[in-house]
Amino acid sequence: MDPAQEAQNRETFRQAVTNTLERRLFYIPSFKIYRGVAGLYDYGPPGCAVKSNVLAFWRQHFVLEENMLEVDCPCVTPEVVLKASGHVDKFTDLMVKDEKTGTCYRADHLLKDFCKDKLERDPNLPAEKAAEFRHVLAVLDDLSSEELGAKIKEYGITAPDTKNPLSAPYPFNLMFQTSIGPSGVSPGYMRPETAQGIFVNFKDLYYYNGNKLPFAAAQIGQAFRNEISPRQGLLRVREFTLAEIEHFVDPEDKSHPKFPDVANLEFLMFPREDQVAGRSARRINIGEAVAQGVVNNETLGYFIGRVYLFLTHLGIDKDRLRFRQHLANEMAHYAADCWDAEIECSYGWIECVGIADRSAYDLRAHTDKSGVPLAAHEKFPEPREVEKLIIVPAKKELGLAFKGNQKMVVEALEAMGEKEAMEMKETLESKGEATFNVCTLDKVVTINKNMVSISKEIKKEHQRVFTPSVIEPSFGIGRIIYCLYEHSFNTRPSRDGDEQMNFFSFPPLVAPIKCTVFPLVQNQQYEEIARQIAKSLTVYGISYKIDITGTSIGKRYARTDELGVPFAITVDSASSVTIRERDSKQQIRVNVDEVASVIKEVTDGQSTWGDVLWKYPTHSS
């Protein structure tokens, strides 16, 4: 199939999915009667139920099974916290403006759309031009503002709506700014992620955990990003739910006791070497990936395996799920290794979970800014003799020489590593002065012998004090749910074959409603039995929908199939009922007093539909 036809098919499929989701109130644009606001959506009753089920399973799969410490922190965050984390200065995207209307667009999205459109829809595109566009797409995240502007100019890209010329790209901070309190003197932001609330509480959480490592803290909550030009429905929004885990571990021991539980899992992985070489993702055993150093350490590998199990249990197709390693140019300078769980949908491969070894960056940044040490301790059974580097800046001499810059020079001297400090000591002793690069001043200064004392001393230590490393799995819940909608969406012909019927094949685990209860015909006795069954389902905590309308049973099945309800109970006698399974449309006959417990078994995962099909007599409609 040619690329243009493929693109058209994807668009048609997406339209069918989103039309069904909006019509059945899974989600709708927010403030719809006022024409809505881009990037904001309301979840309707079935959407809320799916989201609630996904989050309940996330808590069970991660918080409960891994004995994590769950916290709930405010959405409004003081500026100083986000200044320390780097968000105030660096949480930006490059933006361009329509020079006549002032409408804003995200620069990399315009370039990406242009290249993809040419590759998919231009059958006469020369091979060398196609290769150039593919290269641009591959390096898009690494382009500077100047390079991005040059490409937009070279390809003649204009504003999509008006075809007007565009401004040069410039950075736009994605955080929503606010002020805390009426005076306006305490600036704050709506948090762009939930992680910072966990980092600033590390000291108390460490104490709560008995001053022991490793441990993990988790948080589910809303995050906010003022996207430049939101699109792609639920995939790029301005307010969204994040579920984040911060696993604190000794940087010298990143092994995991439960790694053998996932070591034999095999799934699609896309290491950076394969990406650079132009190869495709391939099935790799996670145990071998860690052993060969493809994945940096066992704890990171363990969480990759656990994320795979979580997503596939929800109903994500394992053949359309891959774990892509960040390229060197994508990784933050402090990160040891990063992998994204990407799910393929009609929009392409979408990053839904990020799993990163962030080293000790976050705790160090907050220690430096707050002055509160966020550190862990390892007590030695016996005192150890260790050689310690001692750097003592002479603040008086440095003050005379550097005046207002004294503090920055002192901090830079104290931050020297052992190799750099010993080289400076040698130079000072032989020449009396040494050149020294102060990064915060962005210049090289001269340090004299009387400005600093550098030595090594043997000291007895009873404990080791260190800043823990953090391994962070971060889940975009809305993105996972949207991909689940697409992976679960199916069509089949109606009974008479004159139209295509839509249905969602959700696993019972996430289905918004677990079963429906229908009296076959409008009959007082059947309706009373239906109400009794509904009461039993309530006692078992099973969500249900009861429908006593006189509509034909086929239409009632079709209505609930479209909501993804996995089981339908039909009351057609006083003593027994039928249970119909959504995907196969097979039916079994069960006694009235047993039906609620059978539904409980299959929705809880204690039994499969195959198990009960074997146990109870089948019924032909």
Side-chain angles (χ1 to χ4, degrees):
M1 192 186 297
D2 71 279
Q5 186 59 52
E6 269 185 38
Q8 184 58 50
N9 290 352
R10 283 198 302 273
E11 179 63 39
T12 304
F13 171 76
R14 185 190 309 138
Q15 206 57 53
V17 176
T18 52
N19 285 348
T20 306
L21 290 169
E22 290 197 24
R23 181 166 47 79
R24 297 313 304 264
L25 222 61
F26 279 84
Y27 74 91
I28 49 171
S30 300
F31 318 111
K32 197 173 169 184
I33 62 170
Y34 292 101
R35 299 186 182 177
V37 177
L40 296 175
Y41 291 92
D42 296 339
Y43 284 79
C48 278
V50 169
K51 182 179 176 182
S52 174
N53 292 337
V54 167
L55 292 176
F57 181 56
W58 188 88
R59 277 196 170 96
Q60 180 197 322
H61 187 80
F62 291 106
V63 180
L64 196 63
E65 287 193 36
E66 306 298 336
N67 203 18
M68 294 177 177
L69 312 180
E70 188 172 358
V71 299
D72 187 359
C73 306
C75 294
V76 177
T77 308
E79 184 180 55
V80 65
V81 174
L82 295 163
K83 190 85 178 162
S85 67
H87 285 86
V88 171
D89 297 322
K90 295 176 183 171
F91 196 64
T92 58
D93 277 338
L94 290 170
M95 180 167 83
V96 288
K97 265 187 182 177
D98 180 318
E99 290 192 337
K100 291 186 180 172
T101 67
T103 305
C104 300
Y105 304 94
R106 198 167 136 178
D108 60 336
H109 283 177
L110 293 183
L111 183 56
K112 182 181 181 181
D113 290 348
F114 176 85
C115 294
K116 281 181 82 172
D117 193 62
K118 286 288 184 187
L119 288 166
E120 287 174 359
R121 301 180 192 278
D122 189 347
N124 304 316
L125 194 67
E128 65 273 11
K129 207 69 183 164
E132 181 189 325
F133 290 146
R134 285 193 194 94
H135 175 71
V136 169
L137 290 172
V139 299
L140 194 60
D141 290 337
D142 203 32
L143 294 180
S144 67
S145 172
E146 292 73 23
E147 290 167 329
L148 206 50
K151 284 290 174 195
I152 286 171
K153 203 168 184 180
E154 180 188 338
Y155 296 150
I157 298 171
T158 54
D161 306 318
T162 62
K163 306 304 174 200
N164 290 333
L166 295 165
S167 70
Y170 60 96
F172 171 75
N173 193 295
L174 298 177
M175 291 194 294
F176 286 98
Q177 190 165 15
T178 184
S179 61
I180 302 168
S183 66
V185 297
S186 180
Y189 294 90
M190 302 303 289
R191 65 183 177 191
E193 61 180 26
T194 64
Q196 301 308 319
I198 296 175
F199 295 138
V200 299
N201 282 315
F202 170 79
K203 190 177 178 182
D204 293 322
L205 291 168
Y206 180 56
Y207 174 76
Y208 180 87
N209 199 53
N211 294 327
K212 289 189 177 79
L213 282 184
F215 76 88
Q219 181 169 197
I220 295 169
Q222 296 304 96
F224 306 82
R225 296 182 186 178
N226 196 9
E227 295 285 351
I228 293 165
S229 48
R231 55 202 189 145
Q232 298 183 333
L234 290 181
L235 297 181
R236 191 167 291 283
V237 291
R238 287 176 164 141
E239 180 180 346
F240 50 95
T241 303
L242 280 180
E244 294 192 300
I245 296 162
E246 308 302 331
H247 182 93
F248 299 101
V249 64
D250 186 335
E252 292 180 9
D253 179 14
K254 292 182 182 176
S255 62
H256 198 291
K258 290 168 72 176
F259 183 66
D261 296 354
V262 302
N264 292 324
L265 290 175
E266 191 175 284
F267 40 80
L268 283 174
M269 296 187 77
F270 203 8
R272 65 171 68 96
E273 288 73 19
D274 290 357
Q275 296 172 58
V276 171
R279 293 190 288 265
S280 300
R282 57 196 164 95
R283 296 199 176 279
I284 298 177
N285 174 286
I286 188 65
E288 289 173 15
V290 171
Q292 292 164 9
V294 176
V295 173
N296 185 273
N297 58 74
E298 272 190 11
T299 299
L300 191 63
Y302 177 71
F303 277 110
I304 289 172
R306 291 289 291 162
V307 168
Y308 170 79
L309 292 173
F310 171 73
L311 293 173
T312 51
H313 274 93
L314 286 181
I316 295 298
D317 180 356
K318 65 179 175 19
D319 295 322
R320 288 190 281 166
L321 165 65
R322 72 182 185 192
F323 289 83
R324 186 185 71 82
Q325 189 175 28
H326 281 205
L327 297 172
N329 60 31
E330 293 177 86
M331 289 222 302
H333 63 90
Y334 51 79
D337 196 8
C338 300
W339 293 77
D340 288 338
E342 295 184 332
I343 303 172
E344 188 181 29
C345 68
S346 62
Y347 290 104
W349 288 96
I350 301 298
E351 173 204 339
C352 294
V353 186
I355 309 139
D357 182 337
R358 296 173 60 88
S359 300
Y361 172 78
D362 301 280
L363 293 182
R364 282 197 181 126
H366 287 298
T367 295
D368 292 346
K369 192 75 175 173
S370 69
V372 177
L374 302 176
H377 312 269
E378 181 196 2
K379 285 195 170 139
F380 301 140
E382 295 289 332
R384 293 180 187 176
E385 285 194 344
V386 291
E387 194 175 48
K388 299 284 283 184
L389 176 68
I390 310 292
I391 301 171
V392 184
K395 291 183 180 177
K396 186 180 176 186
E397 300 295 333
L398 291 166
L400 290 169
F402 299 107
K403 309 266 187 310
N405 294 327
Q406 180 231 40
K407 187 170 181 282
M408 284 185 271
V409 177
V410 168
E411 286 172 353
L413 286 167
E414 289 175 337
M416 280 193 294
E418 185 173 329
K419 184 172 179 286
E420 186 184 7
M422 296 318 288
E423 283 174 359
M424 178 182 277
K425 177 180 169 68
E426 196 180 313
T427 308
L428 289 173
E429 285 173 356
S430 62
K431 297 183 180 173
E433 62 179 40
T435 56
F436 179 54
N437 182 29
V438 181
C439 297
T440 48
L441 291 176
D442 196 23
K443 68 177 180 180
V444 174
V445 300
T446 300
I447 300 293
N448 296 327
K449 194 175 178 179
N450 61 345
M451 291 180 181
V452 65
S453 161
I454 301 168
S455 60
K456 279 189 173 181
E457 289 179 14
I458 302 291
K459 284 193 171 185
K460 271 194 176 181
E461 286 196 342
H462 297 270
Q463 65 175 5
R464 169 176 156 249
V465 180
F466 61 93
T467 307
S469 282
V470 177
I471 284 142
E472 178 192 73
S474 175
F475 299 73
I477 298 299
R479 288 184 169 198
I480 292 169
I481 289 171
Y482 179 75
C483 291
L484 177 63
Y485 288 152
E486 281 206 7
H487 286 203
S488 303
F489 186 77
N490 297 279
T491 57
R492 59 188 170 201
S494 59
R495 199 167 191 173
D496 50 17
D498 62 346
E499 62 177 320
Q500 288 292 311
M501 311 298 287
N502 303 328
F503 71 101
F504 286 102
S505 57
F506 299 126
L509 177 72
V510 294
I513 300 164
K514 305 305 181 194
C515 73
T516 46
V517 187
F518 303 142
L520 182 64
V521 292
Q522 284 186 310
N523 166 310
Q524 197 170 351
Q525 185 189 20
Y526 288 0
E527 287 174 17
E528 186 52 41
I529 292 166
R531 289 192 185 95
Q532 285 172 16
I533 291 169
K535 274 187 181 177
S536 303
L537 292 168
T538 303
V539 169
Y540 278 115
I542 297 166
S543 58
Y544 64 87
K545 189 172 185 175
I546 190 165
D547 186 343
I548 55 174
T549 62
T551 316
S552 75
I553 195 72
K555 283 187 177 171
R556 282 185 278 174
Y557 283 150
R559 277 205 302 250
T560 55
D561 286 352
E562 202 172 44
L563 283 172
V565 181
F567 303 107
I569 300 166
T570 304
V571 181
D572 59 356
S573 84
S575 59
S576 67
V577 296
T578 65
I579 302 176
R580 169 190 179 266
E581 195 271 334
R582 175 200 59 219
D583 296 351
S584 64
K585 298 202 274 189
Q586 293 171 313
Q587 297 185 44
I588 56 170
R589 185 160 288 281
V590 179
N591 289 336
V592 169
D593 56 0
E594 280 184 273
V595 66
S597 62
V598 172
I599 295 291
K600 175 76 172 167
E601 265 183 56
V602 287
T603 54
D604 276 4
Q606 298 163 26
S607 301
T608 64
W609 176 250
D611 295 333
V612 295
L613 199 59
W614 176 80
K615 191 175 173 184
Y616 294 94
T618 55
H619 171 81
S620 299
S621 57

